[in-house]
Amino acid sequence: MGWSSLLVIGASAGGVDALRSMVAGLRRDLAAPVLIVLHIGAHRSELPALLSAAGPLPAKHADDNERMQVGQIYIAPPDRHMIVAGPGLRLTRGPRENWARPAINPLFRSAAEHYGRSAIGVILTGRLNDGTAGLYEIRCHGGVTVVQDPDDAAWPDMPRSAVTHGAPDYCPPLAEIAALLNRLVAESQGGKAVVIPSQALEEGRAMKDGQEFDPPVAVTCPDCGGALRRQEVGTLIEYRCHIQHVYTAEVLAEAQFDQMERVMRAGERIVHERSEFCRQMAVRAATTGAGDEERSWRAAERQALDRAYELRDLIEQDWIRPETDPRPILAMAAD
């Protein structure tokens, strides 16, 4: 891993022009990978070609599990969050954040967690406030934060939110950002970026593919979805929602398991239906002589069928069922 800094950049409305202007000023020998998220949703994007033509550094959509390289611009592809995972990148279809996938915050959070002081975060023009929380994480981990001057931005909402809530280290106009980044990277070249081991597990948080699974705010009622309040009646534990659905702990555990199985069975059915739909489209393509199209539909049919079987296997595995033994449930009353 031959770099001392990691550049992460987020933009939204007005971001194409801003990014083209900024990358035009980056040095050809920039000793850092450059990671960019632009809010493009699931729409096709020509941003890699536009940025490659605008400046000296090559740009591409990131690939899953790709190892980062110095002097390369990596762009989050349509409908995928781009996550830093040590010296590599992960692409996920994790939940949308701030109505966006790809979103800026997942990239910034992961850069902060894995690179700390070596991360340089940049917020450019955009609506609303995606990126503010991620930039704050970079600041808290000792990284450098840069925000385009809101008065200089085509859409000032995102930069203004970052300035208001994040107290950035630098707030220059767009025309000065590339030179600033060149200087920050050059000044850091005496050291080496160090990948920081994830602290998620040590802090009691589950983590997969760069996405945290924080504990839910509340356990919810299987009947109505309302939050459940726990109470103890002697050595018995009850859970009650605000419209008075009541469960003992054992019954709630059974109800949760039944609900989970119903949802997973519904997922299995939907994926099977996708497989059948793809098969029908492949047959139609075959009748029109569209060979490439038929092969694509056949591949999608096989993938859906494979995943349907994976779901079935998951559902039919032996699950640990403490609720079938009352001792762990009753023991909770002593907590």
Side-chain angles (χ1 to χ4, degrees):
M1 189 180 71
W3 64 81
S4 55
S5 298
L6 180 69
L7 293 181
V8 290
I9 300 166
S12 184
V16 173
D17 289 340
L19 287 167
R20 291 176 68 190
S21 175
M22 188 201 68
V23 301
L26 295 177
R27 292 175 57 96
R28 186 179 302 275
D29 59 351
L30 186 76
V34 181
L35 314 183
I36 294 176
V37 168
L38 177 69
H39 288 166
I40 56 173
H43 303 291
R44 180 178 176 181
S45 172
E46 300 295 336
L47 190 60
L50 293 173
L51 297 190
S52 292
L57 301 181
K60 66 185 293 290
H61 280 136
D63 294 319
D64 192 29
N65 288 317
E66 181 171 9
R67 190 178 180 89
M68 292 182 283
Q69 302 293 329
V70 165
Q72 174 72 56
I73 297 173
Y74 300 92
I75 299 168
D79 202 32
R80 295 292 187 275
H81 293 312
M82 182 167 64
I83 308 295
V84 175
L89 296 172
R90 293 302 316 271
L91 302 180
T92 80
R93 292 195 74 251
R96 289 178 175 83
E97 296 198 26
N98 296 309
W99 291 340
R101 188 174 60 224
I104 301 166
N105 280 335
L107 172 63
F108 281 21
R109 283 198 307 266
S110 61
E113 180 170 10
H114 285 279
Y115 282 85
R117 295 178 180 274
S118 301
I120 301 173
V122 183
I123 291 289
L124 302 178
T125 174
R127 296 183 60 247
L128 302 177
N129 60 8
D130 187 28
T132 295
L135 200 73
Y136 178 78
E137 289 295 323
I138 290 175
R139 179 180 176 82
C140 288
H141 283 74
V144 179
T145 56
V146 180
V147 176
Q148 182 182 0
D149 183 347
D151 294 334
D152 176 65
W155 295 82
D157 293 1
M158 249 169 49
R160 184 173 293 130
S161 173
V163 169
T164 300
H165 299 286
D169 297 303
Y170 301 94
C171 192
L174 178 64
E176 298 176 10
I177 291 179
L180 172 63
L181 298 180
N182 290 334
R183 177 171 65 80
L184 291 173
V185 172
E187 289 175 351
S188 68
Q189 280 188 262
K192 183 178 181 181
V194 177
V195 179
I196 304 169
S198 173
Q199 299 298 309
L201 296 179
E202 294 180 16
E203 296 171 3
R205 295 174 283 130
M207 175 78 77
K208 181 175 175 59
D209 292 343
Q211 296 292 317
E212 290 183 12
F213 293 84
D214 289 324
V217 173
V219 177
T220 56
C221 175
D223 277 317
C224 68
L228 290 168
R229 182 183 302 109
R230 170 179 159 163
Q231 61 184 25
E232 296 178 8
V233 182
T235 59
L236 188 69
I237 300 172
E238 287 188 338
Y239 289 82
R240 183 186 302 266
C241 75
H242 67 287
I243 60 172
Q244 303 306 307
H245 291 126
V246 181
Y247 303 84
T248 62
E250 297 90 340
V251 174
L252 176 60
E254 289 285 348
Q256 282 183 329
F257 191 88
D258 289 345
Q259 183 183 37
M260 177 191 72
E261 185 172 9
R262 285 196 304 272
V263 170
M264 293 172 71
R265 289 292 185 191
E268 179 190 4
R269 172 185 59 78
I270 292 168
V271 179
H272 264 298
E273 290 176 359
R274 173 172 172 78
S275 176
E276 172 58 19
F277 172 76
C278 293
R279 186 195 66 80
Q280 294 177 13
M281 295 300 292
V283 170
R284 180 180 180 277
T287 62
T288 62
D292 289 344
E293 184 178 348
E294 179 189 4
R295 283 189 288 274
S296 292
W297 283 114
R298 288 296 184 191
E301 175 194 1
R302 289 192 297 271
Q303 180 192 61
L305 194 59
D306 287 345
R307 292 184 177 177
Y309 288 138
E310 289 172 3
L311 272 172
R312 179 179 297 177
D313 290 343
L314 178 62
I315 296 166
E316 295 178 357
Q317 286 178 9
D318 288 331
W319 291 78
I320 298 172
R321 303 290 301 276
E323 62 268 28
T324 62
D325 181 351
R327 286 170 296 180
I329 299 293
L330 295 176
M332 291 172 59
D335 291 349

mmCIF file of all heavy atoms in Angstrom, residues 257-290:
data_model
loop_
_atom_site.group_PDB
_atom_site.id
_atom_site.type_symbol
_atom_site.label_atom_id
_atom_site.label_comp_id
_atom_site.label_asym_id
_atom_site.label_seq_id
_atom_site.Cartn_x
_atom_site.Cartn_y
_atom_site.Cartn_z
ATOM 1 N N PHE A 257 -40.118 -15.743 15.624
ATOM 2 C CA PHE A 257 -39.580 -16.774 14.737
ATOM 3 C C PHE A 257 -40.559 -17.065 13.602
ATOM 4 O O PHE A 257 -40.161 -17.187 12.430
ATOM 5 C CB PHE A 257 -39.282 -18.049 15.522
ATOM 6 C CG PHE A 257 -38.481 -19.054 14.750
ATOM 7 C CD1 PHE A 257 -37.096 -19.016 14.771
ATOM 8 C CD2 PHE A 257 -39.104 -20.024 13.969
ATOM 9 C CE1 PHE A 257 -36.342 -19.922 14.042
ATOM 10 C CE2 PHE A 257 -38.366 -20.929 13.234
ATOM 11 C CZ PHE A 257 -36.978 -20.886 13.275
ATOM 12 N N ASP A 258 -41.861 -17.156 13.926
ATOM 13 C CA ASP A 258 -42.859 -17.394 12.891
ATOM 14 C C ASP A 258 -42.887 -16.257 11.888
ATOM 15 O O ASP A 258 -42.995 -16.479 10.670
ATOM 16 C CB ASP A 258 -44.242 -17.574 13.519
ATOM 17 C CG ASP A 258 -44.375 -18.891 14.272
ATOM 18 O OD1 ASP A 258 -43.514 -19.778 14.076
ATOM 19 O OD2 ASP A 258 -45.326 -19.032 15.058
ATOM 20 N N GLN A 259 -42.793 -15.022 12.380
ATOM 21 C CA GLN A 259 -42.794 -13.857 11.492
ATOM 22 C C GLN A 259 -41.576 -13.885 10.578
ATOM 23 O O GLN A 259 -41.669 -13.635 9.373
ATOM 24 C CB GLN A 259 -42.814 -12.579 12.318
ATOM 25 C CG GLN A 259 -42.891 -11.309 11.489
ATOM 26 C CD GLN A 259 -42.838 -10.064 12.354
ATOM 27 O OE1 GLN A 259 -42.117 -10.029 13.360
ATOM 28 N NE2 GLN A 259 -43.603 -9.058 11.981
ATOM 29 N N MET A 260 -40.403 -14.205 11.137
ATOM 30 C CA MET A 260 -39.184 -14.283 10.340
ATOM 31 C C MET A 260 -39.312 -15.335 9.247
ATOM 32 O O MET A 260 -38.958 -15.108 8.080
ATOM 33 C CB MET A 260 -38.003 -14.618 11.248
ATOM 34 C CG MET A 260 -36.677 -14.791 10.524
ATOM 35 S SD MET A 260 -35.403 -15.483 11.587
ATOM 36 C CE MET A 260 -35.986 -17.183 11.745
ATOM 37 N N GLU A 261 -39.878 -16.499 9.609
ATOM 38 C CA GLU A 261 -40.011 -17.566 8.622
ATOM 39 C C GLU A 261 -40.972 -17.165 7.509
ATOM 40 O O GLU A 261 -40.724 -17.430 6.326
ATOM 41 C CB GLU A 261 -40.481 -18.857 9.291
ATOM 42 C CG GLU A 261 -40.512 -20.041 8.332
ATOM 43 C CD GLU A 261 -40.784 -21.365 9.026
ATOM 44 O OE1 GLU A 261 -41.113 -21.348 10.236
ATOM 45 O OE2 GLU A 261 -40.675 -22.399 8.357
ATOM 46 N N ARG A 262 -42.079 -16.482 7.851
ATOM 47 C CA ARG A 262 -43.031 -16.039 6.829
ATOM 48 C C ARG A 262 -42.371 -15.072 5.853
ATOM 49 O O ARG A 262 -42.557 -15.165 4.635
ATOM 50 C CB ARG A 262 -44.241 -15.367 7.479
ATOM 51 C CG ARG A 262 -45.213 -16.328 8.138
ATOM 52 C CD ARG A 262 -46.544 -15.653 8.398
ATOM 53 N NE ARG A 262 -46.422 -14.449 9.197
ATOM 54 C CZ ARG A 262 -46.433 -14.415 10.525
ATOM 55 N NH1 ARG A 262 -46.534 -15.543 11.203
ATOM 56 N NH2 ARG A 262 -46.325 -13.269 11.174
ATOM 57 N N VAL A 263 -41.596 -14.128 6.393
ATOM 58 C CA VAL A 263 -40.935 -13.142 5.533
ATOM 59 C C VAL A 263 -39.923 -13.818 4.620
ATOM 60 O O VAL A 263 -39.833 -13.517 3.420
ATOM 61 C CB VAL A 263 -40.265 -12.049 6.394
ATOM 62 C CG1 VAL A 263 -39.370 -11.164 5.539
ATOM 63 C CG2 VAL A 263 -41.323 -11.208 7.100
ATOM 64 N N MET A 264 -39.151 -14.746 5.168
ATOM 65 C CA MET A 264 -38.140 -15.425 4.363
ATOM 66 C C MET A 264 -38.782 -16.324 3.305
ATOM 67 O O MET A 264 -38.295 -16.435 2.180
ATOM 68 C CB MET A 264 -37.202 -16.216 5.270
ATOM 69 C CG MET A 264 -36.350 -15.321 6.161
ATOM 70 S SD MET A 264 -35.397 -16.217 7.400
ATOM 71 C CE MET A 264 -34.184 -17.020 6.373
ATOM 72 N N ARG A 265 -39.905 -16.972 3.651
ATOM 73 C CA ARG A 265 -40.619 -17.773 2.663
ATOM 74 C C ARG A 265 -41.164 -16.886 1.543
ATOM 75 O O ARG A 265 -41.149 -17.275 0.366
ATOM 76 C CB ARG A 265 -41.771 -18.532 3.321
ATOM 77 C CG ARG A 265 -41.359 -19.670 4.228
ATOM 78 C CD ARG A 265 -40.742 -20.815 3.460
ATOM 79 N NE ARG A 265 -40.456 -21.957 4.339
ATOM 80 C CZ ARG A 265 -39.739 -23.003 3.994
ATOM 81 N NH1 ARG A 265 -39.201 -23.068 2.783
ATOM 82 N NH2 ARG A 265 -39.521 -23.982 4.834
ATOM 83 N N ALA A 266 -41.635 -15.692 1.909
ATOM 84 C CA ALA A 266 -42.106 -14.759 0.884
ATOM 85 C C ALA A 266 -40.957 -14.353 -0.027
ATOM 86 O O ALA A 266 -41.112 -14.241 -1.249
ATOM 87 C CB ALA A 266 -42.737 -13.530 1.540
ATOM 88 N N GLY A 267 -39.766 -14.144 0.559
ATOM 89 C CA GLY A 267 -38.594 -13.819 -0.257
ATOM 90 C C GLY A 267 -38.242 -14.954 -1.194
ATOM 91 O O GLY A 267 -37.914 -14.730 -2.373
ATOM 92 N N GLU A 268 -38.324 -16.196 -0.701
ATOM 93 C CA GLU A 268 -38.043 -17.353 -1.549
ATOM 94 C C GLU A 268 -39.020 -17.398 -2.728
ATOM 95 O O GLU A 268 -38.628 -17.651 -3.878
ATOM 96 C CB GLU A 268 -38.163 -18.630 -0.721
ATOM 97 C CG GLU A 268 -37.902 -19.907 -1.515
ATOM 98 C CD GLU A 268 -38.258 -21.156 -0.730
ATOM 99 O OE1 GLU A 268 -38.780 -21.033 0.403
ATOM 100 O OE2 GLU A 268 -38.041 -22.265 -1.264
ATOM 101 N N ARG A 269 -40.304 -17.137 -2.441
ATOM 102 C CA ARG A 269 -41.306 -17.149 -3.512
ATOM 103 C C ARG A 269 -41.018 -16.089 -4.564
ATOM 104 O O ARG A 269 -41.072 -16.363 -5.778
ATOM 105 C CB ARG A 269 -42.699 -16.913 -2.916
ATOM 106 C CG ARG A 269 -43.788 -16.709 -3.971
ATOM 107 C CD ARG A 269 -45.109 -16.356 -3.341
ATOM 108 N NE ARG A 269 -45.052 -15.144 -2.534
ATOM 109 C CZ ARG A 269 -45.063 -13.901 -3.034
ATOM 110 N NH1 ARG A 269 -45.080 -13.716 -4.351
ATOM 111 N NH2 ARG A 269 -45.028 -12.869 -2.233
ATOM 112 N N ILE A 270 -40.671 -14.879 -4.110
ATOM 113 C CA ILE A 270 -40.421 -13.785 -5.052
ATOM 114 C C ILE A 270 -39.222 -14.089 -5.938
ATOM 115 O O ILE A 270 -39.222 -13.833 -7.145
ATOM 116 C CB ILE A 270 -40.225 -12.463 -4.279
ATOM 117 C CG1 ILE A 270 -41.538 -12.043 -3.616
ATOM 118 C CG2 ILE A 270 -39.732 -11.360 -5.215
ATOM 119 C CD1 ILE A 270 -41.387 -10.924 -2.606
ATOM 120 N N VAL A 271 -38.163 -14.675 -5.347
ATOM 121 C CA VAL A 271 -36.980 -14.990 -6.138
ATOM 122 C C VAL A 271 -37.279 -16.108 -7.134
ATOM 123 O O VAL A 271 -36.801 -16.098 -8.270
ATOM 124 C CB VAL A 271 -35.793 -15.355 -5.223
ATOM 125 C CG1 VAL A 271 -34.567 -15.705 -6.048
ATOM 126 C CG2 VAL A 271 -35.454 -14.187 -4.298
ATOM 127 N N HIS A 272 -38.110 -17.093 -6.725
ATOM 128 C CA HIS A 272 -38.551 -18.121 -7.670
ATOM 129 C C HIS A 272 -39.304 -17.494 -8.835
ATOM 130 O O HIS A 272 -39.128 -17.889 -10.001
ATOM 131 C CB HIS A 272 -39.454 -19.140 -6.957
ATOM 132 C CG HIS A 272 -38.732 -20.363 -6.490
ATOM 133 N ND1 HIS A 272 -38.096 -21.228 -7.339
ATOM 134 C CD2 HIS A 272 -38.568 -20.877 -5.239
ATOM 135 C CE1 HIS A 272 -37.561 -22.221 -6.647
ATOM 136 N NE2 HIS A 272 -37.819 -22.026 -5.367
ATOM 137 N N GLU A 273 -40.168 -16.526 -8.508
ATOM 138 C CA GLU A 273 -40.933 -15.861 -9.562
ATOM 139 C C GLU A 273 -40.013 -15.099 -10.507
ATOM 140 O O GLU A 273 -40.252 -15.055 -11.717
ATOM 141 C CB GLU A 273 -41.967 -14.923 -8.944
ATOM 142 C CG GLU A 273 -43.100 -15.671 -8.236
ATOM 143 C CD GLU A 273 -44.054 -14.731 -7.540
ATOM 144 O OE1 GLU A 273 -43.841 -13.501 -7.588
ATOM 145 O OE2 GLU A 273 -45.029 -15.228 -6.929
ATOM 146 N N ARG A 274 -38.964 -14.505 -9.959
ATOM 147 C CA ARG A 274 -38.008 -13.836 -10.837
ATOM 148 C C ARG A 274 -37.352 -14.847 -11.774
ATOM 149 O O ARG A 274 -37.164 -14.567 -12.966
ATOM 150 C CB ARG A 274 -36.932 -13.122 -10.019
ATOM 151 C CG ARG A 274 -35.801 -12.553 -10.891
ATOM 152 C CD ARG A 274 -34.825 -11.679 -10.135
ATOM 153 N NE ARG A 274 -33.691 -11.330 -10.978
ATOM 154 C CZ ARG A 274 -33.700 -10.401 -11.927
ATOM 155 N NH1 ARG A 274 -34.812 -9.732 -12.188
ATOM 156 N NH2 ARG A 274 -32.616 -10.143 -12.646
ATOM 157 N N SER A 275 -37.005 -16.011 -11.249
ATOM 158 C CA SER A 275 -36.385 -17.030 -12.090
ATOM 159 C C SER A 275 -37.308 -17.407 -13.247
ATOM 160 O O SER A 275 -36.884 -17.512 -14.400
ATOM 161 C CB SER A 275 -36.050 -18.266 -11.252
ATOM 162 O OG SER A 275 -35.538 -19.305 -12.061
ATOM 163 N N GLU A 276 -38.602 -17.596 -12.943
ATOM 164 C CA GLU A 276 -39.552 -17.964 -13.993
ATOM 165 C C GLU A 276 -39.735 -16.836 -14.998
ATOM 166 O O GLU A 276 -39.796 -17.071 -16.219
ATOM 167 C CB GLU A 276 -40.901 -18.335 -13.366
ATOM 168 C CG GLU A 276 -42.038 -18.556 -14.353
ATOM 169 C CD GLU A 276 -41.755 -19.647 -15.381
ATOM 170 O OE1 GLU A 276 -40.851 -20.482 -15.148
ATOM 171 O OE2 GLU A 276 -42.442 -19.667 -16.426
ATOM 172 N N PHE A 277 -39.789 -15.599 -14.511
ATOM 173 C CA PHE A 277 -39.914 -14.461 -15.425
ATOM 174 C C PHE A 277 -38.711 -14.385 -16.370
ATOM 175 O O PHE A 277 -38.869 -14.189 -17.583
ATOM 176 C CB PHE A 277 -40.028 -13.165 -14.622
ATOM 177 C CG PHE A 277 -39.971 -11.921 -15.457
ATOM 178 C CD1 PHE A 277 -41.058 -11.510 -16.214
ATOM 179 C CD2 PHE A 277 -38.811 -11.150 -15.505
ATOM 180 C CE1 PHE A 277 -41.000 -10.369 -16.996
ATOM 181 C CE2 PHE A 277 -38.744 -10.009 -16.288
ATOM 182 C CZ PHE A 277 -39.846 -9.621 -17.033
ATOM 183 N N CYS A 278 -37.508 -14.566 -15.817
ATOM 184 C CA CYS A 278 -36.303 -14.532 -16.652
ATOM 185 C C CYS A 278 -36.314 -15.667 -17.677
ATOM 186 O O CYS A 278 -35.869 -15.491 -18.817
ATOM 187 C CB CYS A 278 -35.050 -14.605 -15.781
ATOM 188 S SG CYS A 278 -34.784 -13.146 -14.740
ATOM 189 N N ARG A 279 -36.827 -16.837 -17.278
ATOM 190 C CA ARG A 279 -36.921 -17.951 -18.227
ATOM 191 C C ARG A 279 -37.837 -17.598 -19.396
ATOM 192 O O ARG A 279 -37.517 -17.862 -20.572
ATOM 193 C CB ARG A 279 -37.442 -19.203 -17.519
ATOM 194 C CG ARG A 279 -37.432 -20.462 -18.392
ATOM 195 C CD ARG A 279 -38.283 -21.568 -17.790
ATOM 196 N NE ARG A 279 -39.696 -21.202 -17.782
ATOM 197 C CZ ARG A 279 -40.491 -21.289 -18.854
ATOM 198 N NH1 ARG A 279 -40.003 -21.711 -20.021
ATOM 199 N NH2 ARG A 279 -41.754 -20.948 -18.767
ATOM 200 N N GLN A 280 -38.970 -16.978 -19.056
ATOM 201 C CA GLN A 280 -39.898 -16.591 -20.118
ATOM 202 C C GLN A 280 -39.278 -15.567 -21.064
ATOM 203 O O GLN A 280 -39.461 -15.640 -22.289
ATOM 204 C CB GLN A 280 -41.191 -16.044 -19.505
ATOM 205 C CG GLN A 280 -41.996 -17.073 -18.741
ATOM 206 C CD GLN A 280 -43.228 -16.471 -18.083
ATOM 207 O OE1 GLN A 280 -43.621 -15.345 -18.381
ATOM 208 N NE2 GLN A 280 -43.846 -17.238 -17.178
ATOM 209 N N MET A 281 -38.529 -14.616 -20.507
ATOM 210 C CA MET A 281 -37.884 -13.615 -21.348
ATOM 211 C C MET A 281 -36.798 -14.241 -22.220
ATOM 212 O O MET A 281 -36.578 -13.837 -23.360
ATOM 213 C CB MET A 281 -37.289 -12.505 -20.485
ATOM 214 C CG MET A 281 -38.335 -11.687 -19.730
ATOM 215 S SD MET A 281 -39.497 -10.860 -20.835
ATOM 216 C CE MET A 281 -38.416 -9.662 -21.626
ATOM 217 N N ALA A 282 -36.108 -15.263 -21.681
ATOM 218 C CA ALA A 282 -35.081 -15.959 -22.469
ATOM 219 C C ALA A 282 -35.718 -16.699 -23.642
ATOM 220 O O ALA A 282 -35.184 -16.694 -24.762
ATOM 221 C CB ALA A 282 -34.313 -16.939 -21.580
ATOM 222 N N VAL A 283 -36.868 -17.336 -23.389
ATOM 223 C CA VAL A 283 -37.573 -18.040 -24.468
ATOM 224 C C VAL A 283 -37.996 -17.046 -25.546
ATOM 225 O O VAL A 283 -37.856 -17.308 -26.749
ATOM 226 C CB VAL A 283 -38.794 -18.795 -23.905
ATOM 227 C CG1 VAL A 283 -39.664 -19.328 -25.034
ATOM 228 C CG2 VAL A 283 -38.339 -19.934 -22.991
ATOM 229 N N ARG A 284 -38.501 -15.897 -25.106
ATOM 230 C CA ARG A 284 -38.913 -14.878 -26.077
ATOM 231 C C ARG A 284 -37.729 -14.396 -26.897
ATOM 232 O O ARG A 284 -37.812 -14.245 -28.131
ATOM 233 C CB ARG A 284 -39.552 -13.695 -25.346
ATOM 234 C CG ARG A 284 -40.014 -12.574 -26.264
ATOM 235 C CD ARG A 284 -40.639 -11.447 -25.456
ATOM 236 N NE ARG A 284 -41.076 -10.379 -26.321
ATOM 237 C CZ ARG A 284 -40.310 -9.412 -26.801
ATOM 238 N NH1 ARG A 284 -39.010 -9.402 -26.493
ATOM 239 N NH2 ARG A 284 -40.795 -8.470 -27.587
ATOM 240 N N ALA A 285 -36.579 -14.163 -26.227
ATOM 241 C CA ALA A 285 -35.382 -13.707 -26.949
ATOM 242 C C ALA A 285 -34.922 -14.758 -27.947
ATOM 243 O O ALA A 285 -34.457 -14.437 -29.042
ATOM 244 C CB ALA A 285 -34.266 -13.373 -25.960
ATOM 245 N N ALA A 286 -35.064 -16.049 -27.588
ATOM 246 C CA ALA A 286 -34.646 -17.119 -28.485
ATOM 247 C C ALA A 286 -35.483 -17.143 -29.756
ATOM 248 O O ALA A 286 -34.976 -17.420 -30.851
ATOM 249 C CB ALA A 286 -34.732 -18.467 -27.766
ATOM 250 N N THR A 287 -36.773 -16.824 -29.608
ATOM 251 C CA THR A 287 -37.642 -16.847 -30.792
ATOM 252 C C THR A 287 -37.355 -15.701 -31.745
ATOM 253 O O THR A 287 -37.684 -15.779 -32.929
ATOM 254 C CB THR A 287 -39.124 -16.775 -30.367
ATOM 255 O OG1 THR A 287 -39.369 -15.539 -29.686
ATOM 256 C CG2 THR A 287 -39.488 -17.943 -29.458
ATOM 257 N N THR A 288 -36.724 -14.633 -31.249
ATOM 258 C CA THR A 288 -36.398 -13.492 -32.111
ATOM 259 C C THR A 288 -34.960 -13.541 -32.606
ATOM 260 O O THR A 288 -34.514 -12.640 -33.323
ATOM 261 C CB THR A 288 -36.623 -12.170 -31.357
ATOM 262 O OG1 THR A 288 -35.749 -12.114 -30.219
ATOM 263 C CG2 THR A 288 -38.069 -12.047 -30.880
ATOM 264 N N GLY A 289 -34.234 -14.569 -32.192
ATOM 265 C CA GLY A 289 -32.851 -14.702 -32.634
ATOM 266 C C GLY A 289 -31.871 -13.797 -31.938
ATOM 267 O O GLY A 289 -30.752 -13.595 -32.418
ATOM 268 N N ALA A 290 -32.269 -13.230 -30.782
ATOM 269 C CA ALA A 290 -31.382 -12.325 -30.029
ATOM 270 C C ALA A 290 -30.524 -13.157 -29.077
ATOM 271 O O ALA A 290 -30.859 -13.321 -27.895
ATOM 272 C CB ALA A 290 -32.194 -11.281 -29.270
#
